[in-house]
Amino acid sequence: MKTSELTAGEINAELDRVDKKLSKLCDEFIADGRGHEKPSETFLKDDALSLRYKSLSAQRYELRVEVLMRYGPNAPERLPRGFNGRKS
């Protein structure tokens, strides 16, 4: 299903899921001795941790763009009720 077809609740749940995975991934970076690494440095690498970070970041970005498209400027992190799918 396209992001534009998800309900506000589904987008919020997906954001929660991705954020939890990013948090766990951050713990893995720290355990691997890479806790100091900036995202701009991570994006230049192609190891397994970096690739997972890139994938999750892209998912989160897509969801965040959808929140902004529906709500407009200064959108909160999560969509309030009623901001469901956009018309095609």
Side-chain angles (χ1 to χ4, degrees):
M1 183 178 278
K2 292 181 184 179
T3 307
S4 62
E5 297 172 352
L6 297 175
T7 66
E10 290 170 331
I11 287 177
N12 293 342
E14 192 65 18
L15 279 165
D16 290 341
R17 186 187 68 75
V18 170
D19 284 347
K20 283 180 187 175
K21 285 185 175 184
L22 281 168
S23 179
K24 287 180 184 178
L25 188 60
C26 182
D27 292 341
E28 290 181 48
F29 270 96
I30 292 168
D32 200 35
R34 295 172 60 184
H36 66 282
E37 206 169 285
K38 298 175 186 171
S40 58
E41 296 170 330
T42 303
F43 271 97
L44 297 175
K45 298 178 180 181
D46 61 355
D47 59 278
L49 281 177
S50 297
L51 293 175
R52 286 175 39 212
Y53 179 79
K54 290 177 197 181
S55 174
L56 288 170
S57 293
Q59 290 173 38
R60 191 174 199 300
Y61 178 78
E62 181 182 350
L63 292 163
R64 186 66 187 142
V65 166
E66 187 62 31
V67 169
L68 290 166
M69 293 285 291
R70 292 183 193 192
Y71 192 92
N74 303 316
E77 276 298 308
R78 304 292 191 260
L79 281 169
R81 288 180 179 251
F83 284 85
N84 287 324
R86 293 184 286 134
K87 296 180 181 174
S88 296

